[in-house]
């Protein structure tokens, strides 16, 4: 096949060679120079750079107008470019999920409507412009979440005490979100009722609408708290047949029929409440912990599915020792402009017998200026194993309660001194 990949996610996060034979297929990677730089130098492929000033679809369309060629598949493994890939497939007449289908798994309002129509519970919600028209008179009272339709990593997510307070903040231009406060892109936001309970994520692989592999995990901390500067993680839990059926119904509602998925829900009153879903792998170390537990490297099998290869019956056997795995991350973006100089309270955990991976920034490294879960960018990322979900949860809770980050101003000379200690 001739395969075009809109390349955005760093190569090592996907390891394309594990899912695509680059000797058998002609693979073209289309991305910015920074993205292309992550490709292994020895990989047999074509590399085509793009400026990155406009959406990938527009730049790919213009490139192909100048140098026409055909492809059998157009693939993106990035949540941010799934729609670009769909638009390019339609533009070129290439097989694959169309724009209308992909949009269901990208737009939080569309997906909740579809899931609700399928008979599953969702938080009550409204597009932000509709709430403004109603002057805050929403069909719920109490805490209210304001979030982008297509956001990720809890960026630009805010929680207000009531729908009315959200309206007041937006109309007064004091949300702290620049585009909202400037009165722009209001239609790109929605509001929903704040539902309480444990937050869980479900990850797996689906082909032709059938769920072939699935794990269930529960968060310790939340993505929103992480965005605000607190550590978080998730630990694997059991997955009943009832839960598996619920996941399958949610996926069918949003027409996620092929590839991987990352679905989030809140358990409220013993019932799962759908939050959102993506037709892509989860972030942080979801891929690694999934493979440890199931033997399935999600990106590799997703690529095989997207190439039309049947994977049912080819999946490896699950982990025979039955261990539960968890991933954890400690943020650094809230300390941007400073340098990392160590983690106080980490010594008892760093070399513990349960630790599978521990990635800590080297002393003197600059702290990131953006939200990231990526090892090598954030303060700490790692994986731990336990015999039960409770073991891994308790280990992470103890770790989070012990940590504090030692930093220095980035502009400070490297002279002896006492680092500043910032509570985790």
């Amino acid at each position: 096949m001739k395969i075009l990949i809109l390349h955005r996610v760093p190569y090592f996060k996907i390891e394309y060679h594990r899912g695509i034979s680059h000797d058998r297929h002609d693979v073209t990677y289309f991305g910015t120079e920074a993205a292309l730089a992550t490709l292994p130098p020895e990989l047999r492929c074509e590399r085509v750079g793009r400026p990155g000033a406009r959406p990938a679809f527009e730049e790919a369309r213009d490139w192909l107008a100048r140098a026409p060629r055909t492809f059998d598949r157009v693939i993106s493994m990035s949540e941010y470019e799934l729609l670009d890939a769909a638009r390019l497939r339609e533009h070129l007449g290439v097989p694959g999920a169309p724009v209308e289908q992909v949009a269901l798994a990208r737009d939080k309002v569309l997906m909740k409507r579809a899931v609700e129509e399928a008979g599953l519970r969702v938080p009550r919600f409204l597009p932000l412009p509709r709430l403004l028209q109603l002057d805050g008179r929403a069909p719920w009272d109490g805490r209210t979440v304001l979030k982008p339709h297509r956001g990720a990593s809890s960026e630009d997510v805010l929680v207000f005490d009531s729908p009315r307070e959200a309206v007041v903040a937006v109309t007064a231009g004091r949300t702290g979100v620049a585009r909202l406060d400037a009165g722009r892109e209001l239609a790109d936001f929605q509001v929903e009722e704040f539902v309480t309970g444990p937050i869980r994520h479900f990850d797996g692989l689906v082909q032709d609408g059938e769920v072939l592999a699935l794990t269930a995990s529960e968060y310790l901390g939340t993505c929103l708290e992480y965005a605000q500067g607190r550590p978080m993680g998730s630990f694997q839990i059991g997955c009943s047949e009832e839960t598996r059926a619920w996941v399958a119904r949610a996926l069918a509602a949003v027409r996620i029929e092929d590839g991987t998925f990352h679905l989030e829900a809140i358990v409220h009153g013993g019932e799962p409440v759908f939050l959102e879903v993506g037709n892509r792998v989860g972030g942080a170390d979801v891929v690694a912990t999934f493979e440890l537990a199931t033997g399935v490297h999600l990106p590799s099998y997703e690529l095989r599915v997207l190439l039309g290869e049947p994977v049912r019956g080819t999946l490896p056997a699950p982990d025979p020792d039955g261990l539960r795995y968890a991933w954890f991350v400690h943020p650094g973006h809230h300390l941007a402009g400073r340098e990392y100089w160590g983690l106080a309270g980490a010594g008892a955990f760093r070399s513990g017998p349960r630790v599978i991976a521990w990635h800590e920034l080297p002393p003197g490294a600059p702290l990131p200026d953006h939200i990231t879960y990526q090892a090598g960018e954030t303060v700490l990322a790692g994986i731990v194993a336990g015999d039960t979900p409770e073991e891994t949860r308790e280990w992470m809770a103890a770790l989070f309660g012990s940590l504090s980050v030692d930093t220095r101003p980035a502009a400070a000379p490297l002279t002896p001194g006492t680092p500043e200690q910032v509570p985790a």
Side-chain angles (χ1 to χ4, degrees):
M1 286 187 181
K2 295 180 180 179
I3 302 167
L4 174 63
I5 294 175
L6 303 186
H7 180 48
R8 176 165 175 155
V9 180
Y11 189 91
F12 71 90
K13 294 288 288 184
I14 305 298
E15 297 184 287
Y16 288 95
H17 64 278
R18 295 180 63 178
I20 300 175
S21 169
H22 286 63
D23 292 326
R24 196 171 85 220
H25 301 295
D26 293 326
V27 184
T28 299
Y29 289 88
F30 183 77
T32 64
E33 293 302 328
L36 295 177
T38 69
L39 296 173
E42 70 281 4
L43 190 69
R44 178 187 175 274
C45 65
E46 181 183 13
R47 299 161 169 83
V48 178
R50 73 180 186 93
R54 293 181 295 142
F57 163 67
E58 295 180 8
E59 294 187 350
R61 180 194 58 197
D62 293 351
W63 160 59
L64 291 171
R66 295 191 302 269
R69 62 177 77 185
T70 60
F71 292 98
D72 301 298
R73 293 290 188 275
V74 175
I75 294 172
S76 171
M77 301 293 279
S78 167
E79 180 173 26
Y80 296 101
E81 293 182 354
L82 291 175
L83 279 169
D84 289 283
R87 292 187 180 105
L88 194 57
R89 284 193 294 268
E90 291 190 354
H91 177 69
L92 298 175
V94 173
V99 171
E100 181 182 3
Q101 181 176 342
V102 173
L104 269 178
R106 284 290 292 127
D107 188 293
K108 293 178 174 63
V109 168
L110 295 179
M111 71 175 67
K112 281 200 287 288
R113 283 177 180 158
V115 171
E116 187 175 38
E117 289 171 0
L120 303 181
R121 184 180 168 190
V122 303
R124 287 173 289 184
F125 65 96
L126 288 170
L128 177 58
R130 180 58 179 156
L131 182 70
L132 295 174
Q133 290 174 355
L134 295 170
D135 196 27
R137 294 185 298 276
W140 69 89
D141 296 315
R143 300 182 76 191
T144 297
V145 183
L146 171 68
K147 62 172 69 171
H149 286 195
R150 297 176 180 174
S153 303
S154 287
E155 288 190 89
D156 295 340
V157 174
L158 303 170
V159 179
F160 297 92
D161 289 335
S162 69
R164 177 62 188 160
E165 287 199 13
V167 168
V168 170
V170 171
T171 54
R174 53 176 179 81
T175 66
V177 178
R179 49 184 170 154
L180 282 181
D181 293 345
R184 295 183 289 106
E185 303 178 24
L186 299 184
D188 289 343
F189 284 77
Q190 58 124 20
V191 289
E192 66 185 32
E193 65 175 326
F194 187 95
V195 179
T196 59
I199 305 177
R200 293 179 178 170
H201 62 88
F202 305 93
D203 301 274
L205 180 74
V206 61
Q207 186 171 34
D208 296 328
E210 181 184 0
V211 177
L212 302 179
L214 174 66
T215 63
S217 304
E218 185 168 304
Y219 284 110
L220 179 61
T222 68
C223 296
L224 180 57
E225 290 170 344
Y226 185 83
Q228 295 168 343
R230 283 171 279 180
M232 71 171 293
S234 84
F235 54 98
Q236 293 170 345
I237 61 175
C239 188
S240 67
E241 285 303 314
E242 183 181 17
T243 297
R244 189 183 186 94
W246 181 89
V247 169
R249 286 180 65 191
L251 295 177
V254 298
R255 299 181 61 196
I256 292 180
E257 299 167 354
D258 290 295
T260 58
F261 60 86
H262 178 74
L263 189 161
E264 297 189 347
I266 291 180
V267 180
H268 182 79
E271 177 186 10
V273 181
F274 175 92
L275 289 180
E276 59 186 68
V277 65
N279 195 177
R280 45 85 178 173
V281 297
D285 275 317
V286 166
V287 168
T289 51
F290 193 99
E291 185 173 12
L292 285 166
T294 68
V296 175
H297 182 248
L298 284 172
S300 298
Y301 280 92
E302 174 166 35
L303 288 167
R304 295 174 194 178
V305 167
L306 296 178
L307 295 185
E309 300 175 11
V311 301
R312 181 182 177 83
T314 70
L315 301 181
D319 177 12
D321 58 20
L323 289 175
R324 305 287 189 176
Y325 297 91
W327 56 264
F328 54 90
V329 283
H330 193 297
H333 59 268
H334 61 301
L335 303 172
R338 305 185 67 82
E339 293 174 346
Y340 171 77
W341 282 91
L343 271 176
F349 301 89
R350 188 180 283 113
S351 57
R354 291 191 175 94
V355 175
I356 305 296
W358 182 284
H359 302 286
E360 188 177 332
L361 283 180
L367 290 163
D369 60 0
H370 59 284
I371 297 174
T372 176
Y373 300 89
Q374 181 60 54
E377 293 182 1
T378 195
V379 164
L380 172 66
I383 298 172
V384 65
D387 293 320
T388 66
E390 292 75 21
E391 276 189 12
T392 51
R393 186 191 189 285
E394 290 170 7
W395 188 94
M396 285 197 297
L399 172 70
F400 295 168
S402 300
L403 296 179
S404 58
V405 185
D406 294 337
T407 69
R408 291 175 180 167
L414 298 178
T415 55
T418 303
E420 177 184 355
Q421 194 170 80
V422 181

